[in-house]
Coordinates of all heavy atoms in Angstrom, one line a residue:
M1105 N -18.9 -289.2 -44.4 CA -18.4 -290.2 -43.5 C -18.5 -291.5 -44.1 O -19.6 -292.0 -44.5 CB -19.2 -290.1 -42.1 CG -18.6 -291.0 -41.1 SD -19.6 -290.9 -39.5 CE -19.3 -289.3 -38.9
D1106 N -17.4 -292.3 -44.1 CA -17.4 -293.6 -44.7 C -18.0 -294.6 -43.7 O -18.3 -294.2 -42.5 CB -16.0 -294.0 -45.2 CG -15.0 -294.2 -44.0 OD1 -15.4 -294.2 -42.8 OD2 -13.8 -294.3 -44.3
E1107 N -18.2 -295.8 -44.1 CA -18.9 -296.8 -43.3 C -18.1 -297.1 -42.0 O -18.7 -297.3 -41.0 CB -19.2 -298.0 -44.1 CG -20.2 -299.0 -43.5 CD -21.6 -298.3 -43.2 OE1 -22.0 -297.5 -44.1 OE2 -22.2 -298.6 -42.2
V1108 N -16.8 -297.2 -42.1 CA -16.0 -297.6 -41.0 C -16.1 -296.4 -39.9 O -16.3 -296.7 -38.7 CB -14.5 -297.8 -41.4 CG1 -13.6 -298.0 -40.2 CG2 -14.4 -299.0 -42.3
A1109 N -15.9 -295.2 -40.4 CA -16.0 -294.1 -39.5 C -17.4 -294.0 -38.9 O -17.6 -293.7 -37.7 CB -15.7 -292.8 -40.2
R1110 N -18.4 -294.3 -39.7 CA -19.8 -294.2 -39.2 C -20.0 -295.3 -38.1 O -20.6 -295.0 -37.0 CB -20.8 -294.5 -40.3 CG -22.2 -294.3 -39.9 CD -23.1 -294.6 -41.1 NE -24.5 -294.4 -40.9 CZ -25.3 -295.0 -40.0 NH1 -24.8 -295.9 -39.2 NH2 -26.6 -294.7 -39.9
S1111 N -19.5 -296.5 -38.3 CA -19.7 -297.5 -37.2 C -18.9 -297.2 -36.0 O -19.4 -297.4 -34.9 CB -19.3 -298.9 -37.8 OG -18.0 -298.9 -38.1
E1112 N -17.7 -296.6 -36.1 CA -16.9 -296.1 -35.0 C -17.7 -295.1 -34.2 O -17.7 -295.1 -33.0 CB -15.6 -295.6 -35.4 CG -14.6 -296.7 -35.9 CD -13.4 -296.0 -36.5 OE1 -13.2 -294.8 -36.6 OE2 -12.5 -296.8 -36.9
F1113 N -18.2 -294.1 -34.9 CA -19.0 -293.0 -34.3 C -20.2 -293.6 -33.5 O -20.5 -293.2 -32.4 CB -19.4 -292.0 -35.3 CG -20.2 -290.9 -34.7 CD1 -19.6 -289.9 -33.9 CD2 -21.6 -290.8 -35.0 CE1 -20.4 -288.9 -33.4 CE2 -22.3 -289.7 -34.5 CZ -21.7 -288.8 -33.6
V1114 N -21.0 -294.4 -34.2 CA -22.1 -295.0 -33.5 C -21.8 -295.8 -32.3 O -22.4 -295.7 -31.3 CB -22.9 -295.9 -34.5 CG1 -24.0 -296.7 -33.9 CG2 -23.5 -295.0 -35.7
A1115 N -20.7 -296.5 -32.4 CA -20.2 -297.3 -31.2 C -19.8 -296.3 -30.1 O -20.1 -296.6 -28.9 CB -19.0 -298.2 -31.6
F1116 N -19.1 -295.2 -30.4 CA -18.8 -294.2 -29.4 C -20.0 -293.6 -28.8 O -20.1 -293.5 -27.5 CB -17.9 -293.1 -30.1 CG -17.7 -291.9 -29.3 CD1 -16.8 -291.9 -28.2 CD2 -18.5 -290.8 -29.5 CE1 -16.6 -290.8 -27.4 CE2 -18.3 -289.6 -28.7 CZ -17.4 -289.6 -27.7
V1117 N -21.0 -293.3 -29.6 CA -22.2 -292.7 -29.1 C -22.9 -293.6 -28.1 O -23.3 -293.2 -27.0 CB -23.2 -292.3 -30.2 CG1 -24.5 -291.9 -29.7 CG2 -22.6 -291.1 -31.0
H1118 N -23.0 -294.9 -28.5 CA -23.7 -295.9 -27.6 C -22.9 -296.1 -26.3 O -23.5 -296.2 -25.2 CB -23.9 -297.2 -28.3 CG -25.0 -297.2 -29.4 ND1 -26.3 -297.0 -29.0 CD2 -24.9 -297.3 -30.7 CE1 -27.0 -297.0 -30.2 NE2 -26.2 -297.1 -31.2
A1119 N -21.6 -296.1 -26.4 CA -20.8 -296.4 -25.2 C -20.7 -295.2 -24.3 O -20.7 -295.3 -23.0 CB -19.4 -296.8 -25.6
R1120 N -20.7 -294.0 -24.8 CA -20.3 -292.8 -24.0 C -21.5 -291.9 -23.7 O -21.4 -290.9 -22.9 CB -19.2 -292.0 -24.6 CG -17.9 -292.8 -24.8 CD -17.4 -293.5 -23.6 NE -17.1 -292.6 -22.5 CZ -17.0 -293.0 -21.2 NH1 -17.2 -294.2 -20.9 NH2 -16.8 -292.1 -20.3
T1121 N -22.7 -292.1 -24.3 CA -23.8 -291.2 -24.1 C -24.2 -291.0 -22.6 O -24.4 -289.9 -22.2 CB -25.0 -291.6 -24.9 OG1 -24.7 -291.4 -26.3 CG2 -26.2 -290.8 -24.6
P1122 N -24.3 -292.1 -21.8 CA -24.7 -291.8 -20.4 C -23.7 -290.9 -19.7 O -24.2 -290.0 -19.0 CB -24.6 -293.2 -19.8 CG -24.8 -294.2 -21.0 CD -24.1 -293.5 -22.1
V1123 N -22.4 -291.0 -19.8 CA -21.5 -290.2 -19.2 C -21.6 -288.7 -19.7 O -21.6 -287.8 -19.0 CB -20.0 -290.7 -19.4 CG1 -19.0 -289.7 -18.9 CG2 -19.9 -292.0 -18.7
L1124 N -21.7 -288.6 -21.0 CA -21.7 -287.3 -21.6 C -23.1 -286.6 -21.3 O -23.1 -285.4 -21.2 CB -21.5 -287.4 -23.1 CG -20.1 -287.9 -23.5 CD1 -20.1 -288.3 -25.0 CD2 -19.1 -286.8 -23.2
F1125 N -24.1 -287.4 -21.2 CA -25.4 -286.8 -20.8 C -25.3 -286.2 -19.4 O -25.8 -285.1 -19.1 CB -26.5 -287.8 -20.9 CG -27.8 -287.2 -20.4 CD1 -28.6 -286.3 -21.2 CD2 -28.3 -287.5 -19.1 CE1 -29.7 -285.8 -20.7 CE2 -29.5 -286.9 -18.6 CZ -30.2 -286.1 -19.5
R1126 N -24.6 -286.9 -18.5 CA -24.4 -286.4 -17.1 C -23.6 -285.1 -17.1 O -23.9 -284.2 -16.3 CB -23.8 -287.5 -16.2 CG -24.8 -288.6 -15.9 CD -24.2 -289.5 -14.8 NE -23.0 -290.2 -15.1 CZ -23.0 -291.4 -15.7 NH1 -24.2 -292.0 -16.0 NH2 -21.9 -292.0 -16.0
V1127 N -22.6 -285.0 -18.0 CA -21.9 -283.8 -18.1 C -22.8 -282.6 -18.5 O -22.8 -281.5 -17.9 CB -20.7 -283.9 -19.1 CG1 -20.0 -282.6 -19.4 CG2 -19.6 -284.9 -18.5
A1128 N -23.6 -282.9 -19.6 CA -24.5 -281.8 -20.1 C -25.5 -281.5 -19.0 O -25.8 -280.3 -18.8 CB -25.1 -282.3 -21.3
Y1129 N -26.0 -282.5 -18.3 CA -27.0 -282.2 -17.3 C -26.4 -281.4 -16.1 O -27.1 -280.5 -15.6 CB -27.6 -283.5 -16.7 CG -28.8 -283.4 -15.8 CD1 -30.0 -283.2 -16.3 CD2 -28.6 -283.3 -14.4 CE1 -31.1 -283.1 -15.5 CE2 -29.7 -283.1 -13.6 CZ -30.9 -283.0 -14.1 OH -32.0 -282.8 -13.3
A1130 N -25.2 -281.7 -15.7 CA -24.5 -280.9 -14.7 C -24.4 -279.4 -15.0 O -24.6 -278.6 -14.2 CB -23.2 -281.5 -14.4
L1131 N -24.2 -279.1 -16.3 CA -24.2 -277.8 -16.8 C -25.6 -277.1 -16.9 O -25.8 -276.0 -16.4 CB -23.5 -277.7 -18.1 CG -22.0 -277.9 -18.2 CD1 -21.5 -278.1 -19.6 CD2 -21.3 -276.8 -17.5
A1132 N -26.5 -277.8 -17.5 CA -27.8 -277.3 -17.9 C -28.8 -277.3 -16.7 O -29.6 -276.4 -16.6 CB -28.4 -278.0 -19.1
G1133 N -28.7 -278.3 -15.9 CA -29.6 -278.4 -14.8 C -31.0 -279.0 -15.0 O -31.7 -279.3 -14.1
H1134 N -31.3 -279.3 -16.3 CA -32.5 -280.0 -16.5 C -32.4 -280.8 -17.8 O -31.6 -280.6 -18.7 CB -33.8 -279.1 -16.5 CG -33.7 -278.0 -17.5 ND1 -34.2 -278.0 -18.8 CD2 -33.3 -276.7 -17.3 CE1 -34.0 -276.9 -19.3 NE2 -33.5 -276.0 -18.5
Q1135 N -33.2 -281.8 -17.9 CA -33.1 -282.9 -18.9 C -33.2 -282.3 -20.4 O -32.3 -282.7 -21.2 CB -34.2 -283.9 -18.7 CG -34.0 -285.1 -19.7 CD -35.0 -286.2 -19.5 OE1 -35.6 -286.3 -18.4 NE2 -35.0 -287.1 -20.4
Q1136 N -34.1 -281.5 -20.7 CA -34.3 -281.1 -22.1 C -33.1 -280.3 -22.5 O -32.6 -280.5 -23.6 CB -35.6 -280.2 -22.2 CG -35.9 -279.8 -23.6 CD -36.1 -280.9 -24.6 OE1 -36.8 -281.9 -24.2 NE2 -35.5 -280.8 -25.7
A1137 N -32.6 -279.4 -21.7 CA -31.5 -278.6 -22.1 C -30.2 -279.5 -22.2 O -29.4 -279.2 -23.1 CB -31.2 -277.5 -21.0
A1138 N -30.1 -280.4 -21.3 CA -28.9 -281.4 -21.4 C -29.0 -282.2 -22.7 O -28.0 -282.4 -23.4 CB -28.9 -282.3 -20.2
E1139 N -30.2 -282.6 -23.1 CA -30.3 -283.4 -24.4 C -30.0 -282.5 -25.5 O -29.3 -282.9 -26.5 CB -31.8 -283.9 -24.5 CG -32.1 -285.0 -23.5 CD -33.6 -285.4 -23.5 OE1 -34.4 -284.7 -24.2 OE2 -33.9 -286.3 -22.8
D1140 N -30.4 -281.2 -25.5 CA -30.1 -280.3 -26.6 C -28.6 -280.1 -26.7 O -28.0 -280.0 -27.8 CB -30.8 -279.0 -26.4 CG -32.3 -279.1 -26.6 OD1 -32.8 -280.1 -27.1 OD2 -33.0 -278.1 -26.1
L1141 N -27.9 -279.9 -25.5 CA -26.5 -279.7 -25.5 C -25.7 -280.9 -26.1 O -24.8 -280.8 -26.9 CB -26.0 -279.4 -24.1 CG -26.3 -278.1 -23.5 CD1 -25.9 -278.0 -22.0 CD2 -25.6 -277.0 -24.3
L1142 N -26.2 -282.1 -25.7 CA -25.5 -283.3 -26.1 C -25.7 -283.5 -27.6 O -24.8 -283.8 -28.4 CB -26.1 -284.5 -25.4 CG -25.4 -285.8 -25.7 CD1 -23.9 -285.8 -25.6 CD2 -26.0 -286.9 -24.8
Q1143 N -26.9 -283.2 -28.1 CA -27.3 -283.4 -29.5 C -26.4 -282.4 -30.4 O -25.8 -282.8 -31.4 CB -28.7 -283.1 -29.8 CG -29.1 -283.2 -31.2 CD -29.0 -284.7 -31.8 OE1 -29.2 -285.6 -31.0 NE2 -28.6 -284.8 -33.0
A1144 N -26.3 -281.2 -29.9 CA -25.5 -280.2 -30.7 C -24.0 -280.6 -30.7 O -23.4 -280.5 -31.7 CB -25.7 -278.8 -30.0
G1145 N -23.6 -281.1 -29.6 CA -22.2 -281.6 -29.5 C -21.9 -282.8 -30.4 O -20.9 -282.8 -31.1
L1146 N -22.9 -283.7 -30.4 CA -22.7 -284.9 -31.3 C -22.7 -284.5 -32.8 O -22.0 -285.1 -33.5 CB -23.8 -285.9 -31.0 CG -23.6 -286.7 -29.6 CD1 -24.9 -287.5 -29.3 CD2 -22.4 -287.5 -29.6
E1147 N -23.5 -283.6 -33.1 CA -23.5 -283.1 -34.5 C -22.2 -282.6 -34.9 O -21.7 -282.9 -36.0 CB -24.6 -282.0 -34.7 CG -26.0 -282.5 -34.6 CD -27.0 -281.4 -34.7 OE1 -26.6 -280.2 -34.9 OE2 -28.2 -281.7 -34.4
K1148 N -21.6 -281.8 -34.1 CA -20.3 -281.2 -34.4 C -19.2 -282.3 -34.4 O -18.3 -282.2 -35.3 CB -19.9 -280.1 -33.4 CG -20.8 -278.9 -33.6 CD -20.5 -277.7 -32.7 CE -21.4 -276.6 -33.0 NZ -21.1 -275.4 -32.3
V1149 N -19.2 -283.2 -33.5 CA -18.2 -284.3 -33.5 C -18.4 -285.2 -34.7 O -17.4 -285.6 -35.3 CB -18.4 -285.1 -32.2 CG1 -17.5 -286.4 -32.3 CG2 -17.9 -284.3 -31.0
A1150 N -19.6 -285.4 -35.1 CA -19.8 -286.3 -36.3 C -19.2 -285.7 -37.5 O -18.6 -286.4 -38.4 CB -21.3 -286.5 -36.5
L1151 N -19.3 -284.3 -37.6 CA -18.7 -283.7 -38.8 C -17.2 -283.7 -38.8 O -16.6 -283.7 -39.9 CB -19.1 -282.2 -38.8 CG -20.6 -282.0 -39.1 CD1 -20.9 -280.5 -38.9 CD2 -21.0 -282.5 -40.5
R1152 N -16.5 -283.9 -37.7 CA -15.1 -283.8 -37.6 C -14.5 -285.2 -37.1 O -13.4 -285.2 -36.7 CB -14.7 -282.7 -36.6 CG -15.0 -281.4 -37.1 CD -14.9 -280.4 -36.0 NE -15.4 -279.0 -36.4 CZ -16.6 -278.6 -36.4 NH1 -17.6 -279.4 -36.1 NH2 -16.9 -277.4 -36.8
W1153 N -15.3 -286.2 -37.2 CA -15.0 -287.5 -36.5 C -13.6 -288.0 -36.9 O -12.8 -288.4 -36.0 CB -16.0 -288.5 -36.8 CG -15.7 -289.8 -36.2 CD1 -15.2 -291.0 -36.8 CD2 -15.8 -290.1 -34.8 NE1 -15.1 -292.0 -35.8 CE2 -15.4 -291.5 -34.6 CE3 -16.2 -289.4 -33.7 CZ2 -15.4 -292.1 -33.4 CZ3 -16.2 -290.0 -32.4 CH2 -15.8 -291.3 -32.3
R1154 N -13.2 -288.0 -38.1 CA -11.9 -288.5 -38.5 C -10.7 -287.7 -38.1 O -9.6 -288.1 -38.0 CB -11.8 -288.7 -40.1 CG -12.6 -289.8 -40.6 CD -12.0 -291.0 -40.0 NE -12.3 -292.2 -40.8 CZ -11.9 -293.4 -40.5 NH1 -11.3 -293.6 -39.3 NH2 -12.2 -294.4 -41.2
R1155 N -10.9 -286.4 -37.8 CA -9.8 -285.5 -37.4 C -9.6 -285.3 -35.9 O -8.7 -284.7 -35.5 CB -10.1 -284.1 -38.0 CG -10.0 -284.2 -39.5 CD -10.3 -282.8 -40.1 NE -11.7 -282.4 -39.7 CZ -12.6 -281.9 -40.5 NH1 -12.4 -281.8 -41.8 NH2 -13.8 -281.6 -40.0
I1156 N -10.5 -285.9 -35.1 CA -10.5 -285.8 -33.7 C -9.6 -286.9 -33.0 O -9.9 -288.1 -33.3 CB -11.9 -285.8 -33.1 CG1 -12.7 -284.6 -33.7 CG2 -11.8 -285.7 -31.6 CD1 -14.2 -284.6 -33.3
D1157 N -8.7 -286.5 -32.2 CA -7.8 -287.5 -31.5 C -8.5 -288.1 -30.3 O -8.4 -289.3 -30.1 CB -6.5 -286.9 -31.1 CG -5.6 -286.5 -32.3 OD1 -5.7 -287.2 -33.3 OD2 -4.9 -285.5 -32.2
D1158 N -9.2 -287.2 -29.5 CA -9.8 -287.7 -28.3 C -11.3 -287.2 -28.4 O -11.6 -286.1 -27.9 CB -9.1 -287.1 -27.1 CG -9.7 -287.6 -25.8 OD1 -10.7 -288.3 -25.8 OD2 -9.1 -287.3 -24.7
P1159 N -12.2 -288.0 -28.9 CA -13.5 -287.5 -29.2 C -14.3 -287.2 -27.9 O -15.1 -286.3 -27.9 CB -14.2 -288.7 -29.9 CG -13.3 -289.8 -29.8 CD -12.0 -289.4 -29.5
E1160 N -14.1 -287.9 -26.8 CA -14.8 -287.6 -25.6 C -14.4 -286.3 -25.0 O -15.2 -285.4 -24.6 CB -14.6 -288.7 -24.5 CG -15.4 -288.5 -23.3 CD -15.5 -289.7 -22.4 OE1 -15.1 -290.8 -22.8 OE2 -15.9 -289.5 -21.2
A1161 N -13.1 -286.0 -25.0 CA -12.6 -284.7 -24.5 C -13.1 -283.6 -25.4 O -13.6 -282.5 -24.9 CB -11.1 -284.7 -24.4
Y1162 N -13.1 -283.8 -26.7 CA -13.5 -282.8 -27.6 C -15.0 -282.5 -27.4 O -15.5 -281.4 -27.4 CB -13.3 -283.3 -29.1 CG -13.6 -282.3 -30.1 CD1 -12.7 -281.3 -30.5 CD2 -14.9 -282.4 -30.8 CE1 -13.1 -280.4 -31.5 CE2 -15.2 -281.4 -31.8 CZ -14.3 -280.5 -32.1 OH -14.7 -279.6 -33.1
L1163 N -15.8 -283.6 -27.3 CA -17.2 -283.4 -27.1 C -17.6 -282.7 -25.8 O -18.5 -281.9 -25.8 CB -17.9 -284.8 -27.2 CG -19.4 -284.8 -27.1 CD1 -20.1 -283.9 -28.1 CD2 -20.0 -286.2 -27.3
K1164 N -16.8 -283.0 -24.8 CA -17.1 -282.3 -23.5 C -16.8 -280.8 -23.7 O -17.5 -280.0 -23.1 CB -16.2 -282.9 -22.4 CG -16.7 -284.2 -21.9 CD -15.7 -284.8 -20.8 CE -16.2 -286.1 -20.3 NZ -15.2 -286.7 -19.4
R1165 N -15.8 -280.5 -24.4 CA -15.4 -279.1 -24.7 C -16.6 -278.4 -25.5 O -17.0 -277.3 -25.2 CB -14.1 -279.0 -25.4 CG -13.2 -278.0 -24.9 CD -11.8 -277.9 -25.5 NE -11.5 -278.7 -26.7 CZ -10.8 -279.8 -26.7 NH1 -10.4 -280.4 -25.6 NH2 -10.6 -280.4 -27.9
V1166 N -17.0 -279.1 -26.5 CA -18.1 -278.6 -27.3 C -19.4 -278.4 -26.5 O -20.0 -277.3 -26.6 CB -18.4 -279.5 -28.5 CG1 -19.7 -279.1 -29.3 CG2 -17.2 -279.5 -29.5
I1167 N -19.7 -279.3 -25.7 CA -20.9 -279.2 -24.8 C -20.8 -277.9 -23.9 O -21.7 -277.1 -23.8 CB -21.1 -280.4 -23.9 CG1 -21.6 -281.6 -24.8 CG2 -22.1 -280.2 -22.8 CD1 -21.6 -282.9 -24.1
Y1168 N -19.6 -277.8 -23.3 CA -19.3 -276.6 -22.5 C -19.5 -275.3 -23.3 O -20.2 -274.4 -22.8 CB -17.9 -276.7 -21.9 CG -17.5 -275.4 -21.2 CD1 -18.0 -275.1 -19.9 CD2 -16.7 -274.5 -21.8 CE1 -17.7 -273.9 -19.3 CE2 -16.3 -273.3 -21.1 CZ -16.8 -273.0 -19.9 OH -16.5 -271.9 -19.3
H1169 N -18.9 -275.2 -24.5 CA -19.0 -274.0 -25.3 C -20.4 -273.8 -25.7 O -20.9 -272.6 -25.8 CB -18.0 -274.1 -26.4 CG -16.6 -273.9 -26.0 ND1 -16.1 -272.7 -25.7 CD2 -15.6 -274.8 -25.8 CE1 -14.8 -272.8 -25.3 NE2 -14.5 -274.1 -25.4
E1170 N -21.2 -274.8 -26.1 CA -22.6 -274.6 -26.4 C -23.4 -274.1 -25.3 O -24.2 -273.2 -25.4 CB -23.2 -276.0 -26.9 CG -22.7 -276.4 -28.2 CD -23.2 -275.6 -29.4 OE1 -24.4 -275.2 -29.3 OE2 -22.4 -275.2 -30.3
F1171 N -23.1 -274.5 -24.1 CA -23.8 -274.0 -22.9 C -23.4 -272.6 -22.6 O -24.4 -271.7 -22.4 CB -23.3 -274.9 -21.6 CG -23.9 -274.3 -20.3 CD1 -25.2 -274.5 -20.0 CD2 -23.0 -273.7 -19.4 CE1 -25.7 -274.0 -18.8 CE2 -23.5 -273.2 -18.2 CZ -24.8 -273.4 -17.9
I1172 N -22.2 -272.2 -22.7 CA -21.8 -270.8 -22.5 C -22.4 -269.9 -23.6 O -22.9 -268.8 -23.3 CB -20.2 -270.7 -22.5 CG1 -19.6 -271.4 -21.3 CG2 -19.8 -269.2 -22.6 CD1 -20.1 -270.9 -20.0
N1173 N -22.4 -270.4 -24.9 CA -23.0 -269.6 -25.9 C -24.5 -269.4 -25.7 O -25.0 -268.3 -26.0 CB -22.8 -270.3 -27.3 CG -21.4 -270.1 -27.7 OD1 -20.6 -269.3 -27.3 ND2 -21.0 -271.0 -28.6
G1174 N -25.2 -270.4 -25.2 CA -26.6 -270.2 -24.8 C -26.8 -269.2 -23.7 O -27.7 -268.4 -23.8
L1175 N -25.9 -269.2 -22.7 CA -26.0 -268.2 -21.7 C -25.8 -266.8 -22.3 O -26.5 -265.9 -21.9 CB -24.9 -268.4 -20.6 CG -25.1 -269.6 -19.7 CD1 -23.9 -269.7 -18.7 CD2 -26.4 -269.5 -18.9
R1176 N -24.9 -266.7 -23.2 CA -24.6 -265.4 -23.8 C -25.8 -264.9 -24.6 O -26.2 -263.7 -24.5 CB -23.4 -265.4 -24.7 CG -22.1 -265.5 -24.0 CD -20.9 -265.5 -24.9 NE -19.7 -265.7 -24.2 CZ -18.7 -266.5 -24.6 NH1 -18.8 -267.2 -25.8 NH2 -17.7 -266.7 -23.9
R1177 N -26.4 -265.8 -25.4 CA -27.6 -265.4 -26.1 C -28.7 -265.0 -25.3 O -29.4 -264.0 -25.5 CB -28.0 -266.6 -27.0 CG -27.2 -266.8 -28.3 CD -27.8 -267.8 -29.2 NE -27.9 -269.2 -28.6 CZ -26.9 -270.0 -28.7 NH1 -25.8 -269.8 -29.3 NH2 -27.0 -271.2 -28.1
R1178 N -29.0 -265.7 -24.2 CA -30.1 -265.3 -23.2 C -29.8 -264.0 -22.6 O -30.6 -263.1 -22.4 CB -30.3 -266.4 -22.2 CG -31.0 -267.6 -22.7 CD -31.5 -268.5 -21.6 NE -30.5 -269.0 -20.8 CZ -29.7 -270.1 -21.0 NH1 -29.9 -270.8 -22.2 NH2 -28.8 -270.5 -20.2
K1179 N -28.5 -263.8 -22.2 CA -28.1 -262.5 -21.6 C -28.3 -261.4 -22.5 O -28.8 -260.3 -22.2 CB -26.7 -262.6 -21.1 CG -26.3 -261.5 -20.2 CD -27.0 -261.5 -18.9 CE -26.4 -260.6 -17.9 NZ -27.1 -260.5 -16.7
L1180 N -27.9 -261.6 -23.8 CA -28.0 -260.5 -24.8 C -29.5 -260.2 -25.0 O -29.8 -259.0 -25.2 CB -27.4 -261.0 -26.1 CG -27.0 -259.9 -27.1 CD1 -25.9 -259.1 -26.5 CD2 -26.5 -260.6 -28.4
K1181 N -30.4 -261.2 -25.0 CA -31.8 -260.9 -25.2 C -32.4 -260.1 -24.0 O -33.3 -259.3 -24.2 CB -32.6 -262.2 -25.3 CG -32.4 -262.9 -26.6 CD -33.3 -264.2 -26.7 CE -33.0 -264.9 -28.0 NZ -33.8 -266.2 -28.0
E1182 N -31.8 -260.3 -22.8 CA -32.2 -259.6 -21.7 C -31.8 -258.1 -21.7 O -32.5 -257.2 -21.3 CB -31.7 -260.2 -20.4 CG -32.3 -261.5 -20.0 CD -31.6 -262.2 -18.8 OE1 -30.8 -261.5 -18.1 OE2 -31.8 -263.4 -18.6
I1183 N -30.6 -257.9 -22.1 CA -30.0 -256.5 -22.1 C -30.2 -255.7 -23.3 O -30.1 -254.5 -23.3 CB -28.5 -256.5 -21.7 CG1 -27.7 -257.2 -22.8 CG2 -28.3 -257.2 -20.3 CD1 -26.2 -257.0 -22.6
A1184 N -30.5 -256.4 -24.5 CA -30.7 -255.6 -25.7 C -31.8 -254.6 -25.6 O -31.5 -253.4 -26.1 CB -30.9 -256.6 -26.9
P1185 N -32.9 -254.8 -25.1 CA -33.9 -253.8 -25.0 C -33.5 -252.6 -24.1 O -33.8 -251.4 -24.4 CB -35.2 -254.4 -24.4 CG -35.0 -255.9 -24.7 CD -33.5 -256.1 -24.7
K1186 N -32.7 -252.9 -23.1 CA -32.2 -251.9 -22.2 C -31.2 -251.0 -22.9 O -31.2 -249.8 -22.8 CB -31.6 -252.5 -20.9 CG -32.6 -253.2 -20.1 CD -31.9 -253.9 -18.9 CE -32.9 -254.8 -18.2 NZ -32.3 -255.6 -17.2
I1187 N -30.4 -251.6 -23.7 CA -29.4 -250.9 -24.5 C -30.1 -250.0 -25.5 O -29.7 -248.8 -25.7 CB -28.4 -251.8 -25.1 CG1 -27.5 -252.5 -24.1 CG2 -27.5 -251.1 -26.2 CD1 -26.6 -253.5 -24.6
Q1188 N -31.1 -250.5 -26.1 CA -31.8 -249.7 -27.1 C -32.5 -248.5 -26.5 O -32.4 -247.4 -27.0 CB -32.9 -250.6 -27.7 CG -33.5 -250.0 -29.0 CD -34.4 -251.0 -29.7 OE1 -35.0 -251.9 -29.0 NE2 -34.7 -250.8 -30.9
V1189 N -33.0 -248.6 -25.3 CA -33.7 -247.5 -24.6 C -32.6 -246.5 -24.2 O -32.8 -245.3 -24.4 CB -34.4 -248.0 -23.3 CG1 -34.8 -246.8 -22.4 CG2 -35.6 -248.8 -23.7
I1190 N -31.5 -246.9 -23.8 CA -30.4 -246.0 -23.4 C -29.9 -245.3 -24.7 O -29.7 -244.0 -24.6 CB -29.2 -246.8 -22.8 CG1 -29.6 -247.3 -21.4 CG2 -28.0 -245.9 -22.7 CD1 -28.7 -248.3 -20.8
M1191 N -29.8 -246.0 -25.8 CA -29.3 -245.3 -27.0 C -30.3 -244.3 -27.5 O -30.0 -243.2 -27.9 CB -29.1 -246.4 -28.1 CG -27.9 -247.3 -27.8 SD -26.3 -246.5 -27.6 CE -26.0 -246.0 -29.2
L1192 N -31.6 -244.6 -27.3 CA -32.6 -243.6 -27.8 C -32.7 -242.4 -26.9 O -32.9 -241.3 -27.4 CB -34.0 -244.3 -27.7 CG -34.2 -245.4 -28.8 CD1 -35.6 -246.1 -28.6 CD2 -34.2 -244.8 -30.2
T1193 N -32.4 -242.6 -25.6 CA -32.4 -241.4 -24.7 C -31.2 -240.6 -24.8 O -31.2 -239.4 -24.6 CB -32.6 -241.8 -23.2 OG1 -31.5 -242.7 -22.9 CG2 -33.9 -242.5 -23.0
V1194 N -30.1 -241.2 -25.2 CA -28.8 -240.4 -25.4 C -28.9 -239.6 -26.7 O -28.4 -238.5 -26.7 CB -27.6 -241.4 -25.4 CG1 -26.3 -240.7 -25.8 CG2 -27.4 -242.0 -24.1
Y1195 N -29.4 -240.2 -27.7 CA -29.4 -239.5 -29.0 C -30.8 -238.8 -29.2 O -31.4 -238.3 -29.7 CB -29.1 -240.4 -30.2 CG -27.7 -241.0 -30.1 CD1 -27.5 -242.2 -29.7 CD2 -26.6 -240.1 -30.4 CE1 -26.2 -242.7 -29.6 CE2 -25.3 -240.6 -30.3 CZ -25.1 -241.9 -29.9 OH -23.8 -242.4 -29.8

């Protein structure tokens, strides 16, 4: 990221973090999870900063997808032992 893009990104982060944190908090329900979602989203946006037309909309989408992926991972952890038991009893 060149210096101009970096300064644009930093300005965006400073200006939009409160709103974006509220979006993440509305999904996650508690502060730590919301901070993690926002951080993960900002990392992805930083990598693609020059190619994104609407960074706020893109970041909101990334936050949402990170949240959904987290739900899937937790759900998989819950059901994986059950599937393993079923597979062992079938075979």
